[in-house]
Amino acid sequence: MPNLAAAKSRTVAAMLIVLLGPAAVFATTYTYVAEGTPLVYRKGTAAPPADWTERTASETGWTASAAGFGIGYGDSDDRTVLTDMAGSYVTVYVRAHFAVGAERGALQQLSFKARFDDGFVATLNGTEIARAKVPVGALTHTTLASTHEVTDGEVSFAISPSLLVQGDNVLAVEVHNSSLSSSDLSFIPTLVASDGTAPVASITLGPYVQMVERTSLVLCWETNVAAPSRVSYGASAAFGMVAEDQTPKTRHEVTLTGLPPASPVFYRVDSAAGARATGETRTEGNRADPLRVVVYGDNRSNATAHGQVASAIVAAAPDAIFNTGDLVSSSTAANWSTFFSIEAPLLARVPLYPAIGNHEGDAVLYRQKFVLPATSPGGEKYYVKRLGSIVMLALDVYQSPYGNGSTQHQWVQSTLAALKADRDVRFIFVAMHHGPWSTGTHGSNTTVRSVYGPLFEQNGVAIVFSGHDHVYERSTHNGVKYVVTGGGGAPLYSVSGASWTEAKCECLHYVAMDIEGAKLQFRALTTSGNLIDSFALGESVSECTRAANCATRAPGNCAAPEVGDWRCVQNACIWNCEGAVADAGAGADAGADAGADAGAGADAGADAGADADAGAGADAGTGVPEHVLPGDSSRAGGPTESRTGCAKGCEAASAASDLSFGLFGFLLVAVVLVRRRSVAARVDAPHPSE
């Protein structure tokens, strides 16, 4: 009989001491079965053998699935998908093997949890341990679940560890649907044991990825009770590496190191006994790889609208996301919980880099929730993030002084000057909440315009993103493009337009940018996939036709042990860093984000998916299909001139005709590109601070 050993994780967390009150001992935990555990299954088109739940039962005729739990169809959480179940059979029988070692004699607790739709019976080594939403007594392959779960149900059972045996064990489950015509079926179990009185924690927020670098990333989550932090992770679903912090806490931030660049990362969270979740992401890509970046902002209080934008971004599969601020309507724990719940499918795989908005209040919870680059005197309040050959500065126009001569202003000035001088930086973006040019309800922030406009023009900033006004609007001033993207879910505003407005829309939307070499294709999209606006940058670059044309240039910098060489990407010479990394620590590329030394961080390329067309989600093996955006010809050398288009509620300042609209939507975060310019001194009327 094949031994389909499930991933077993051991928390090396014995004797953790709480310094307040009596000493508390935290147990070692053992995860025997979880999402992704390999399994064999049998379709319920006929009755299974009578002994199918026993450890020694034959598995001849069963189908093996290394994809493992969850099993089902119709839900995004189905790793093993039953494509023919709907209309054909109502039951599936599942067996999963796992090994128990010498720890068996010390086990004090055994916990079984399941997320399911619609009903199930579970047995351990032939003994029933759990049942939900099915009749009592013996069931047949035609038995229907008692109710249809609108969303996945969740149950938990305490089990005697004496049911385990040292060596091979089998969890056997029969999962029942409520009808042949049911729209979905799902089953995801967790079987965890502990050798002491570990707190039974539940994940209340996350997990979500932050600070994705070349060889490391930070994984964050929160639990309802204090528990140790532990993550199993690796380049495959077999994991192979563990990162942990034995200090009990409710807010967890764990750095995963030793990862190969431009590669999938599979992770599984395990905090104490039973708080677990799995996910997939990707380390930052190489500079020569295509990169897809999304920008959006002003999510605030409308969960339904916010969800529409978030869903559109998930479909677009970006490599990184920037946000122009006002992520919540007010900075309360409940509002942040809602934000992360809506964004969960996205942020479990893609890093988000926000700017502070006025609705973030004192930004205390904002800075607690996000782990952002500490690349400025302001810490996480304003910072610079490098992704391959692009750089984004997130500025703070609420919590930190930014006027002429301020610390933030001096930092922006020196950082932009360094980036301008760095030949490996192809585009510079800037993100802030209240922007210099807008004709929405709030209007332009003329103070920001006068303070920063000249710096943007002098140092080659390409695009400045802002929000605050819940609209889309684009303009160009002295060579710098200004984009207002505040359609992330907050109540929409009106946008009047002005002589300098090039495109505008009163609509939910996001911005997507595809960067390859020195070429950039920009698209603003509604949640239904309508194309609002688009333009291209860098189409005239003609530095090379092959890598040999770049050979006379001085080589760039790569962080050891990576090596680099010249690539000719879309007619641009790109110094590309690659190489197998045996064990790069968390700090190996930590300097990669320092904008003042963009050369040193050049290797921190940020294509979270080596194939930006498929994006992080597609390459991570999650089944997210490749999505092509409206007018996506830029991937093969796109249009040479800018173009704008509008749907209902949007207008192009220079054109009377509407453009046809395309496919999927993206979320928007503030980012800025590199170009020289000087700013027009138009003064707008005062505007409210809301």
Side-chain angles (χ1 to χ4, degrees):
M1 174 171 49
N3 183 7
L4 301 177
K8 182 182 77 172
S9 65
R10 183 174 183 223
T11 305
V12 187
M15 299 301 291
L16 298 177
I17 305 300
V18 179
L19 298 180
L20 295 176
V25 179
F26 287 82
T28 301
T29 63
Y30 301 84
T31 300
Y32 295 122
V33 177
E35 184 173 4
T37 296
L39 54 82
V40 296
Y41 68 92
R42 184 185 185 103
K43 299 174 183 178
T45 54
D51 66 344
W52 76 274
T53 65
E54 299 295 332
R55 214 162 40 92
T56 56
S58 171
E59 292 177 350
T60 300
W62 293 66
T63 302
S65 175
F69 292 110
I71 184 168
Y73 70 94
D75 293 319
S76 60
D77 58 1
D78 303 318
R79 287 174 176 251
T80 299
V81 182
L82 306 173
T83 56
D84 64 341
M85 185 172 187
S88 299
Y89 52 97
V90 296
T91 305
V92 61
Y93 300 92
V94 185
R95 289 170 55 89
H97 291 263
F98 62 94
V100 175
E103 75 275 4
R104 180 188 177 279
L107 297 179
Q108 296 183 31
Q109 294 182 337
L110 183 60
S111 172
F112 177 80
K113 290 187 176 182
R115 299 204 314 270
F116 68 97
D117 179 347
D118 292 312
F120 73 92
V121 177
T123 65
L124 177 58
N125 295 330
T127 299
E128 181 175 325
I129 59 172
R131 177 183 293 241
K133 303 295 184 180
V134 291
V136 298
L139 308 180
T140 72
H141 66 287
T142 60
T143 301
L144 300 178
S146 57
T147 61
H148 175 65
E149 298 285 340
V150 177
T151 59
D152 283 357
E154 188 165 6
V155 290
S156 179
F157 300 84
I159 306 160
S160 172
S162 65
L163 294 177
L164 298 170
V165 298
Q166 190 164 335
D168 182 56
N169 292 254
V170 168
L171 174 71
V173 183
E174 53 184 290
V175 188
H176 294 254
N177 228 334
S178 59
S179 69
L180 274 173
S181 60
S182 178
S183 60
D184 56 5
L185 178 123
S186 182
F187 187 77
I188 307 175
T190 303
L191 185 65
V192 177
S194 66
D195 59 7
T197 55
V200 180
S202 296
I203 293 178
T204 57
L205 191 151
Y208 57 98
V209 297
Q210 292 277 270
M211 292 295 293
V212 175
E213 305 283 354
R214 292 285 284 164
T215 61
S216 67
L217 61 91
V218 176
L219 194 66
C220 304
W221 70 97
E222 296 179 8
T223 53
N224 61 335
V225 297
S229 308
R230 188 178 193 275
V231 180
S232 297
Y233 67 99
S236 73
F239 306 123
M241 293 185 281
V242 172
E244 63 183 356
D245 179 355
Q246 299 181 0
T247 305
K249 60 187 68 175
T250 56
R251 169 71 188 175
H252 306 263
E253 296 176 4
V254 175
T255 301
L256 313 186
T257 63
L259 299 167
S263 299
V265 179
F266 294 76
Y267 63 82
R268 185 182 66 212
V269 173
D270 198 350
S271 288
R276 25 185 318 97
T278 59
E280 301 167 27
T281 183
R282 195 174 180 88
T283 49
E284 286 189 353
N286 305 314
R287 282 185 219 158
D289 296 336
L291 175 67
R292 176 166 286 175
V293 173
V294 158
V295 188
Y296 72 113
D298 290 275
N299 314 115
R300 282 180 46 177
S301 55
N302 190 331
T304 299
H306 179 192
Q308 292 172 358
V309 179
S311 295
I313 296 175
V314 169
D319 303 314
I321 309 168
F322 297 98
N323 190 297
T324 54
D326 276 8
L327 292 80
V328 292
S329 56
S330 61
S331 191
T332 66
N335 285 338
W336 281 111
S337 179
T338 298
F339 172 84
F340 279 99
S341 176
I342 293 170
E343 300 259 337
L346 182 63
L347 302 188
R349 69 176 65 246
V350 185
L352 171 65
Y353 301 97
I356 294 175
N358 55 296
H359 281 266
E360 271 69 79
D362 59 10
V364 171
L365 289 178
Y366 166 95
R367 286 181 287 133
Q368 178 192 90
K369 302 297 182 186
F370 296 103
V371 181
L372 302 172
T375 49
S376 80
E380 296 177 322
K381 290 185 176 180
Y382 53 93
Y383 57 89
V384 61
K385 173 62 181 174
R386 180 161 188 163
L387 303 173
S389 60
I390 72 169
V391 177
M392 189 273 286
L393 277 71
L395 306 186
D396 174 20
V397 295
Y398 292 100
Q399 297 298 316
S400 306
Y402 64 88
N404 289 316
S406 66
T407 300
Q408 183 174 190
H409 182 267
Q410 292 175 351
W411 174 81
V412 172
Q413 187 173 32
S414 61
T415 299
L416 287 178
L419 293 173
K420 177 186 175 183
D422 188 337
R423 67 180 183 183
D424 290 327
V425 175
R426 293 293 182 159
F427 296 106
I428 300 173
F429 307 126
V430 172
M432 65 183 73
H433 187 59
H434 198 170
W437 297 89
S438 175
T439 65
T441 302
H442 295 309
S444 305
N445 188 322
T446 55
T447 303
V448 169
R449 183 194 301 177
S450 63
V451 169
Y452 284 129
L455 295 183
F456 298 158
E457 298 161 11
Q458 294 161 13
N459 293 288
V461 169
I463 306 175
V464 176
F465 292 96
S466 63
H468 203 44
D469 278 322
H470 307 163
V471 301
Y472 175 82
E473 186 173 18
R474 173 171 65 88
S475 59
T476 304
H477 302 276
N478 297 325
V480 179
K481 293 188 180 297
Y482 291 88
V483 173
V484 179
T485 173
L492 296 173
Y493 291 172
S494 61
V495 53
S496 60
S499 60
W500 38 265
T501 302
E502 296 169 327
K504 62 188 179 79
C505 183
E506 300 166 8
C507 54
L508 297 175
H509 70 275
Y510 62 92
V511 166
M513 296 186 294
D514 287 308
I515 300 100
E516 190 168 5
K519 294 183 179 180
L520 180 150
Q521 180 65 50
F522 176 104
R523 296 173 185 84
L525 297 149
T526 68
T527 55
S528 59
N530 289 338
L531 182 64
I532 303 166
D533 184 22
S534 70
F535 60 84
L537 296 175
E539 292 296 304
S540 62
V541 173
S542 57
E543 299 171 352
C544 57
T545 56
R546 54 195 178 94
N549 300 140
C550 308
T552 58
R553 300 182 175 219
N557 299 312
C558 295
E562 293 194 60
V563 295
D565 59 3
W566 285 108
R567 304 286 180 89
C568 183
V569 182
Q570 295 288 319
N571 304 119
C573 291
I574 302 295
W575 180 256
N576 193 58
C577 297
E578 286 186 339
V581 180
D583 187 7
D589 288 334
D593 291 344
D597 185 6
D603 68 304
D607 184 0
D611 180 359
D613 281 307
D619 284 351
T622 58
V624 176
E626 175 177 341
H627 292 296
V628 180
L629 298 176
D632 209 357
S633 58
S634 64
R635 294 294 172 120
T640 57
E641 73 277 353
S642 300
R643 57 190 175 88
T644 62
C646 298
K648 181 179 179 181
C650 27
E651 303 169 15
S654 59
S657 62
D658 291 341
L659 291 179
S660 61
F661 302 101
L663 189 54
F664 285 88
F666 276 124
L667 285 159
L668 204 59
V669 181
V671 176
V672 171
L673 286 132
V674 188
R675 289 296 136 97
R676 293 194 179 193
R677 318 171 193 210
S678 70
V679 71
R682 183 182 185 277
V683 178
D684 288 353
H687 41 271
S689 60
E690 167 88 355

